[in-house]
Amino acid sequence: MTATRMITDRYLVGTRLRLRRAEWPDGSCELKLTQKVPVARPGAVQGLITNTYLSPAEYDLLASLPAAVLSKTRFSVPPLGVDVFDGPLQGLVLAEGEFTTDEEAQSFVPPPECVAEVTDDARFTGGRLVETSRQDLLQWLAEYGLHPATP
């Protein structure tokens, strides 16, 4: 079974913090503040992630801070989370493996539908994508031999 949710990420300006609102089809909502600190190792290894779950009042207070906003729909198809982006990134689809251990991540073989491996390309992290213009995205994709039609 595929779980689907609408995600709005607010990358707080000048920080490594992300404020996330995930809305489920049943109307429930998850609010959290996340800090992601990458590790200095190549490949599919987990960085350091700290999540703090928030009340609606806490979320609203933090949402008043300056932020760059990224919206997407996430489809959970274990072991992948497949993100379909909105706005200037419309048409971009990224799949991210969700694993319990580094060993699981390193032994994962992507399905044949995956057309480019961007694990080691920091440009495809949420923190970078949120600041990316459509023009830049198309240029990056061209470096992978991908030339999507312009909507």
Side-chain angles (χ1 to χ4, degrees):
M1 184 170 144
T2 302
T4 304
R5 58 196 176 278
M6 301 294 299
I7 295 174
T8 303
D9 286 334
R10 300 178 57 81
Y11 290 85
L12 302 180
V13 174
T15 75
R16 295 182 297 181
L17 302 174
R18 178 190 72 202
L19 189 60
R20 172 168 284 178
R21 177 183 190 89
E23 299 179 38
W24 298 85
D26 68 2
S28 64
C29 187
E30 180 180 79
L31 307 171
K32 63 183 175 179
L33 179 66
T34 301
Q35 179 188 47
K36 287 188 174 184
V37 179
V39 293
R41 294 186 296 173
V45 292
Q46 179 76 41
L48 303 172
I49 299 175
T50 304
N51 285 307
T52 302
Y53 291 86
L54 304 171
S55 70
E58 291 167 331
Y59 177 89
D60 289 344
L61 177 66
L62 292 168
S64 69
L65 297 172
V69 179
L70 185 68
S71 298
K72 60 191 176 185
T73 302
R74 174 161 297 161
F75 301 91
S76 292
V77 187
L80 300 175
V82 180
D83 291 339
V84 178
F85 290 84
D86 299 328
L89 303 177
Q90 183 177 2
L92 178 63
V93 178
L94 292 178
E96 180 177 5
E98 299 170 339
F99 305 102
T100 307
T101 66
D102 287 346
E103 292 75 24
E104 286 179 12
Q106 292 165 344
S107 66
F108 176 71
V109 177
E113 297 82 12
C114 293
V115 296
E117 171 59 66
V118 298
T119 297
D120 291 325
D121 191 335
R123 297 176 298 182
F124 289 93
T125 61
R128 284 288 303 277
L129 286 171
V130 73
E131 300 171 341
T132 301
S133 69
R134 181 136 194 98
Q135 179 76 18
D136 286 342
L137 176 62
L138 293 174
Q139 181 179 347
W140 298 348
L141 292 174
E143 292 175 24
Y144 286 91
L146 303 172
H147 303 279
T150 305

